[in-house]
Amino acid sequence: MSEPKSNANESQSEEKKAIALDVHQNIARKFLQGTAQTLIRWMPMGGSGWVLLSFAKEQEWLMALLMFPVMITSVVWAAYTKSVLERLAEIYQERGRRDVDALMTLQERLDRAIKWQFAGTEDKYLRCQGNECRNYRTEGYNPESFIPQLRDVFVPLELSDGFIRSEKGRRLPLHPGFQGEKMGEKELKRLEKMQEEGVSIWYLLANAKKIPAYCRLAVLAWGGYGKTTLLRNITYTYSCHKHRAYNAPKLLPVLIYLRKWQKAIARDKPNLSSLVEAYHIPNLPQGKDLKLPPNWAKNLLKRGKMLVMIDGFDEVRSEWRKAISEWIEEQLREYPQMFFILTSRPTAYDESCAVKGQLSSLFVKPFSEEQRARFVEKWYLYQERCRRGDRNTPDVQHIARENAADLLAQIDKRQQVADLTKNPLLLTMIANLHRSYPNKELPKYRTELYYDICKLQLRDRPRSKRIEILLPFEQFRRVLQGIALGMRKQNQTRISLADLEGRLQDRLSFLDLENPVTVKDLLVQIEQVSELMVWRDEDYEFAHLSFQNYFAAMEVKDTDNEALLLHHLAESGWRETIQLYTSLVKPSPMIRALCDLNTPEAIDLAYVCWQESSRKIESELKEEIQRLRYQWLEEYLQNGEWKKADEETYRVMLQTVGKKMGKQYLSVSDIHNFPCEDLRIINQLWLDYSNNRFGFSVQKNIWLSVGGRPGEEYNYELYEKYAQKVKWYDEKGDYVGSEKIIFRGDAPEGHLPFDAVCMRWSLGLSMGEYKVLFSRAETCNL
């Protein structure tokens, strides 16, 4: 017991010594402070006092008397400085504490910043985000074939560059910053090629700092054209640091799927930085393990170091679109420096997106023949490699080339199938069909393609895997048809689990089954075996909207309920269902009903149904469709409404090649293949109502008169002569633009049509693509 007592005594002794030392230090500090203050207070008094005594001693009374006020002032100074010094000591003691605290806080922040810098947060995030985008995932279709990595099969998409405008909003015939007369032959060739082939997303990103319009983009396309795949490729490229190859700015990509987070955004309304950190990142592969610095996303967004990509505005529920549109607008306002891309189908974007005026919109261009060939070759090589232990040997490459060549040859023989392959999703489906049925010819029409896909998913593939399907193929198909039509009637693209189970029960009750089937078991096979319906965010939906519309069209056909479609002819949501239905039956009655409506939308749909139908229609009906298609153009020309006629010319030309007014543009391929019959009709109408003053043939002849030849290489001087001849250049030699075009009957010869020719035809006619137009005019004997 003595040892602990000894230790306690020693400890108490040490404490007493420390207390005594502290007391002595305080006494010494106060003594020094008091001495310093006393010297400051009484130093003037000491000096003046000694001088006063010296004068008195020498009996210099006058000087002594004069020094007396000085000594009194010194006494006052001593009294005054006592309070001042005490107060200054208090103030600066507190300020010193605060300064030291601030210095320590700054040091802690620097320590944290250095810690996070060395922690490699950005690289860790890129790995998480990149892993989520590694595979080539076809939205809405999950075939049994090997799933390739994105880098193995991705073919860069081309975007229409029709959005490019001046600061005043005027469409530009050239890309901003380019002036033809100042460009050399090499630059002109490069720009001509760019306008012919379309703009790359990487070109836009690389030039975004120079051209602010490129910083905020809307990428628009119909289903299956690769909008999501495009964003996944951007994300994966950045995650691998390969953006440098495109001279794109260093950015952190954030890919947000609205279909996944729409409920959270509409309900919780999180700030974008909170959505990234609290919702998005934890749901990435290994994202939950990622530790972020304070305000990480917010700081990057504020500094313009993030590329935020929001996918699928059209997939947002209709009741939430307004709220989410306003949320996007708020985030753009809060983070004006961030790079931003939104994807959507055109209709939803045009009807519901509040920020469309703040974004530069582009359309995804359909796959060209070259892109189609590249994809098929890459896709088959990957499939054959995976079948053979990932060998990339000459024999494997030979097999892949043979299979790809066979598929491409079959596509080339079937025009409707070739048209389908312009859509990457449909091309993937066709490739899988070709691989699944190697000795079978491809279908010729879209409805046949969908039927074969259903048969593959619901019968042949399960059979090859020895999976017992609960329903025969035809009954299974009828179940899905009933669900699809019911959803179409309710204008739904999603259905809750409870509603789906109820509808499945109703469909099963009408089937004559040998063995009872439960709704639960059937739902499992619909989702996991057929893969034609998928579970997304608490609801079910068809794997692709086209499947839903196909099944709905099939149900209308099987139930002989064409009256239902006639009731919904004017509704845009039924357009594809009507289109698919017409290709399944004799098309004439439906086309006549559309012609009777006689609206631009109905006539356009009638024309599409005629073009896509696998069955012939009467020649009288064809003539009626063509007459109705051009009735508005003829009316405008007859009334001398030249500007409206100019706009209608372009609208009907776009509609002829299956494109949408306002967002899409005629490509070089569109011009090469434009139907001669339609080109002649348009040209003749302009000739008839302008006394042979306006029309494509008039413009072609003027081009020839200044030395042009159809199909020749681009010559800027020749183009300049032509533009001056038809008065598209003013007296100063400047391009006039649409604002100064003369929409009158006395306009210069060849001055019109303008909008369809100069400004919109691939935006390339003013850059040397007149050779394409006039070559086509020559071919069609205009």
Side-chain angles (χ1 to χ4, degrees):
M1 297 295 291
S2 61
E3 187 176 344
K5 283 185 179 181
S6 174
N7 291 338
N9 292 334
E10 290 178 4
S11 176
Q12 290 175 0
S13 176
E14 292 295 330
E15 288 179 4
K16 289 179 180 179
K17 289 179 181 179
I19 292 170
L21 180 62
D22 190 44
V23 169
H24 288 304
Q25 288 176 343
N26 284 334
I27 292 171
R29 184 167 55 252
K30 288 180 180 179
F31 172 76
L32 291 173
Q33 288 176 348
T35 302
Q37 290 179 7
T38 299
L39 287 172
I40 293 171
R41 289 164 55 198
W42 295 109
M43 191 178 295
M45 174 65 182
S48 60
W50 282 110
V51 172
L52 176 62
L53 291 175
S54 175
F55 285 142
K57 182 179 179 181
E58 298 294 330
Q59 296 184 351
E60 295 181 15
W61 304 112
L62 178 61
M63 293 301 296
L65 182 63
L66 291 174
M67 284 301 300
F68 184 75
V70 176
M71 188 183 70
I72 296 300
T73 302
S74 299
V75 174
V76 172
W77 164 260
Y80 171 78
T81 54
K82 178 181 180 183
S83 298
V84 169
L85 291 172
E86 289 176 353
R87 182 59 180 151
L88 282 174
E90 293 175 6
I91 291 172
Y92 281 95
Q93 187 176 33
E94 180 60 31
R95 180 170 294 180
R97 290 195 191 97
R98 290 200 303 269
D99 289 345
V100 171
D101 291 343
L103 181 62
M104 294 306 296
T105 301
L106 177 61
Q107 182 179 347
E108 290 174 1
R109 288 178 180 175
L110 288 172
D111 289 344
R112 285 200 302 268
I114 293 170
K115 173 187 173 183
W116 288 115
Q117 187 69 28
F118 283 101
T121 306
E122 293 185 5
D123 286 337
K124 291 177 182 177
Y125 166 75
L126 284 173
R127 281 196 293 272
C128 295
Q129 180 68 87
N131 287 334
E132 195 272 333
C133 297
R134 184 181 300 274
N135 291 332
Y136 176 76
R137 188 174 70 200
T138 309
E139 292 295 318
Y141 185 61
N142 299 296
E144 186 188 39
S145 54
F146 299 103
I147 299 176
Q149 292 193 30
L150 198 58
R151 66 187 181 190
D152 292 316
V153 297
F154 180 75
V155 174
L157 298 176
E158 297 166 1
L159 305 173
S160 68
D161 57 347
F163 76 91
I164 298 177
R165 301 168 183 266
S166 69
E167 288 78 4
K168 297 180 180 179
R170 196 185 81 185
R171 296 185 190 89
L172 298 174
L174 305 177
H175 289 249
F178 288 104
Q179 293 296 328
E181 67 273 15
K182 298 177 183 178
M183 297 167 64
E185 183 178 351
K186 185 176 180 181
E187 288 78 11
L188 285 171
K189 289 286 185 184
R190 182 175 65 85
L191 183 56
E192 185 177 347
K193 182 178 180 182
M194 181 192 302
Q195 296 206 324
E196 180 176 334
E197 296 181 352
V199 176
S200 160
I201 192 69
W202 293 109
Y203 169 84
L204 300 174
L205 290 172
N207 289 276
K209 291 186 177 180
K210 290 186 278 185
I211 305 175
Y214 297 170
C215 292
R216 295 184 173 187
L217 305 173
V219 177
L220 309 176
W222 303 108
Y225 274 91
K227 302 182 294 295
T228 303
T229 305
L230 174 66
L231 299 191
R232 289 171 62 82
N233 177 256
I234 294 171
T235 305
Y236 187 70
T237 301
Y238 264 110
S239 72
C240 298
H241 302 287
K242 293 184 178 180
H243 62 283
R244 304 186 187 103
Y246 305 100
N247 295 320
K250 182 181 179 182
L251 300 169
L252 276 186
V254 177
L255 177 52
I256 295 171
Y257 303 105
L258 275 181
R259 64 172 173 268
K260 184 172 185 178
W261 299 117
Q262 57 180 314
K263 184 176 181 180
I265 294 172
R267 180 189 60 196
D268 303 335
K269 294 182 174 57
N271 182 279
L272 180 57
S273 60
S274 299
L275 181 71
V276 172
E277 293 188 1
Y279 296 81
H280 173 64
I281 292 179
N283 279 271
L284 295 176
Q286 297 181 318
K288 291 181 179 178
D289 300 329
L290 185 60
K291 306 300 181 185
L292 300 175
N295 298 317
W296 179 74
K298 182 177 181 179
N299 291 335
L300 289 169
L301 288 166
K302 289 284 188 184
R303 290 160 47 207
K305 298 298 183 181
M306 253 184 192
L307 170 59
V308 177
M309 295 168 283
I310 296 184
D311 180 54
F313 180 76
D314 56 294
E315 298 181 38
V316 174
R317 291 185 179 183
S318 56
E319 64 268 26
W320 289 344
R321 278 185 187 170
K322 184 176 184 296
I324 288 181
S325 180
E326 291 172 351
W327 178 85
I328 293 173
E329 186 175 28
E330 183 180 340
Q331 306 317 307
L332 289 174
R333 189 164 50 248
E334 184 168 351
Y335 302 111
Q337 302 301 320
M338 73 172 170
F339 290 72
F340 181 81
I341 302 176
L342 175 71
T343 67
S344 177
R345 293 190 182 208
T347 302
Y349 181 77
D350 289 338
E351 293 177 353
S352 307
C353 189
V355 297
K356 57 179 178 282
Q358 302 176 40
L359 307 179
S360 299
S361 56
L362 304 95
F363 246 84
V364 177
K365 297 181 72 173
F367 257 14
S368 64
E369 290 184 20
E370 180 187 357
Q371 288 173 307
R372 177 177 71 201
R374 286 171 61 195
F375 175 81
V376 169
E377 290 163 0
K378 285 185 169 189
W379 186 87
Y380 251 117
L381 177 59
Y382 186 85
Q383 299 300 324
E384 298 306 328
R385 278 173 46 200
C386 290
R387 287 183 63 188
R388 293 164 176 81
D390 202 29
R391 285 193 296 116
N392 193 15
T393 52
D395 59 315
V396 174
Q397 295 171 10
H398 176 72
I399 294 171
R401 281 196 298 269
E402 283 191 333
N403 289 332
D406 180 70
L407 172 56
L408 293 170
Q410 289 200 49
I411 290 172
D412 288 338
K413 293 177 183 176
R414 297 162 173 78
Q415 185 56 49
Q416 278 215 357
V417 175
D419 291 339
L420 295 178
T421 61
K422 294 177 181 179
N423 182 307
L425 171 65
L426 296 179
L427 177 57
T428 304
M429 293 179 177
I430 291 168
N432 274 284
L433 277 176
H434 181 260
R435 186 169 178 270
S436 299
Y437 303 121
N439 298 318
K440 182 180 176 181
E441 292 290 310
L442 288 175
K444 294 182 179 181
Y445 302 100
R446 184 156 63 124
T447 50
E448 293 176 353
L449 172 66
Y450 290 157
Y451 180 83
D452 282 354
I453 290 171
C454 293
K455 189 170 62 174
L456 177 65
Q457 298 294 107
L458 295 173
R459 189 188 72 185
D460 296 346
R461 182 169 290 162
R463 183 183 295 169
S464 68
K465 297 169 72 174
R466 297 186 179 181
I467 297 174
E468 185 178 350
I469 295 296
L470 298 173
L471 298 176
F473 168 64
E474 292 298 332
Q475 289 185 337
F476 212 140
R477 181 172 60 84
R478 288 298 302 273
V479 168
L480 293 176
Q481 288 177 191
I483 294 169
L485 184 58
M487 293 171 65
R488 182 73 277 160
K489 288 178 181 178
Q490 299 295 322
N491 196 27
Q492 294 175 323
T493 58
R494 294 174 175 240
I495 184 171
S496 68
L497 174 59
D499 286 346
L500 180 56
E501 288 177 337
R503 293 186 188 185
L504 285 175
Q505 188 61 59
D506 290 342
R507 299 299 293 182
L508 288 174
S509 64
F510 287 102
L511 299 179
D512 183 17
L513 301 175
E514 294 183 6
N515 300 310
V517 175
T518 67
V519 168
K520 182 178 179 180
D521 291 340
L522 182 60
L523 187 56
V524 169
Q525 288 205 337
I526 289 174
E527 182 181 359
Q528 298 182 12
V529 179
S530 82
E531 297 179 326
L532 294 172
M533 290 194 79
V534 294
W535 170 262
R536 281 181 182 160
D537 306 318
E538 303 180 5
D539 285 331
Y540 278 90
E541 63 181 19
F542 280 89
H544 197 275
L545 186 59
S546 292
F547 284 134
Q548 178 181 335
N549 291 328
Y550 166 73
F551 281 126
M554 284 291 293
E555 182 67 5
V556 172
K557 172 182 176 292
D558 289 347
T559 57
D560 195 20
N561 193 13
E562 188 171 295
L564 175 67
L565 299 182
L566 294 174
H567 181 70
H568 293 285
L569 282 180
E571 299 176 31
S572 61
W574 286 79
R575 181 183 175 94
E576 188 178 27
T577 303
I578 294 170
Q579 195 174 319
L580 291 165
Y581 170 80
T582 308
S583 66
L584 292 168
V585 299
K586 186 177 180 181
S588 297
M590 182 62 66
I591 291 176
R592 288 189 188 280
L594 289 166
C595 289
D596 289 342
L597 283 178
N598 201 21
T599 64
E601 294 78 17
I603 301 304
D604 286 353
L605 181 54
Y607 179 75
V608 171
C609 289
W610 164 32
Q611 295 297 311
E612 285 201 5
S613 177
S614 59
R615 308 186 189 191
K616 294 183 179 181
I617 65 173
E618 301 86 348
S619 57
E620 297 83 2
L621 184 55
K622 292 180 184 179
E623 293 174 3
E624 178 69 3
I625 293 171
Q626 289 291 68
R627 183 188 69 80
L628 292 173
R629 287 183 68 221
Y630 293 105
Q631 62 180 313
W632 293 284
L633 174 58
E634 184 170 15
E635 180 182 332
Y636 295 143
L637 289 168
Q638 191 173 18
N639 295 335
E641 298 177 89
W642 302 105
K643 184 173 178 59
K644 289 183 178 179
D646 194 47
E647 294 171 349
E648 177 63 15
T649 297
Y650 188 66
R651 188 199 70 79
V652 77
M653 291 180 73
L654 269 179
Q655 191 271 333
T656 301
V657 298
K659 290 186 175 180
K660 183 179 175 65
M661 183 74 169
K663 296 291 191 302
Q664 292 179 291
Y665 297 81
L666 291 171
S667 67
V668 172
S669 176
D670 293 331
I671 302 170
H672 273 305
N673 299 299
F674 197 86
C676 285
E677 178 189 354
D678 292 274
L679 202 61
R680 291 192 199 101
I681 291 173
I682 295 169
N683 184 60
Q684 194 60 49
L685 286 171
W686 277 94
L687 291 173
D688 290 346
Y689 290 101
S690 68
N691 294 320
N692 296 320
R693 194 174 189 81
F694 306 137
F696 299 141
S697 59
V698 176
Q699 293 170 334
K700 182 197 76 171
N701 291 333
I702 294 173
W703 172 261
L704 296 174
S705 73
V706 298
R709 293 188 302 275
E712 69 176 344
E713 289 297 315
Y714 174 64
N715 184 317
Y716 185 82
E717 292 182 1
L718 197 60
Y719 160 69
E720 198 171 37
K721 288 180 182 179
Y722 173 82
Q724 289 172 346
K725 189 86 171 177
V726 298
K727 302 302 181 186
W728 288 349
Y729 272 17
D730 60 20
E731 295 78 7
K732 299 178 181 179
D734 294 330
Y735 186 78
V736 297
S738 57
E739 297 88 348
K740 296 182 180 179
I741 288 298
I742 305 168
F743 291 108
R744 297 196 309 266
D746 61 351
E749 186 177 357
H751 194 67
L752 300 174
F754 171 79
D755 220 8
V757 179
C758 185
M759 293 302 291
R760 300 188 182 182
W761 217 330
S762 187
L763 290 188
L765 295 175
S766 57
M767 282 304 298
E769 297 305 333
Y770 280 102
K771 62 180 184 287
V772 181
L773 166 62
F774 296 138
S775 292
R776 191 59 181 164
E778 189 77 12
T779 302
C780 295
N781 298 318
L782 266 64

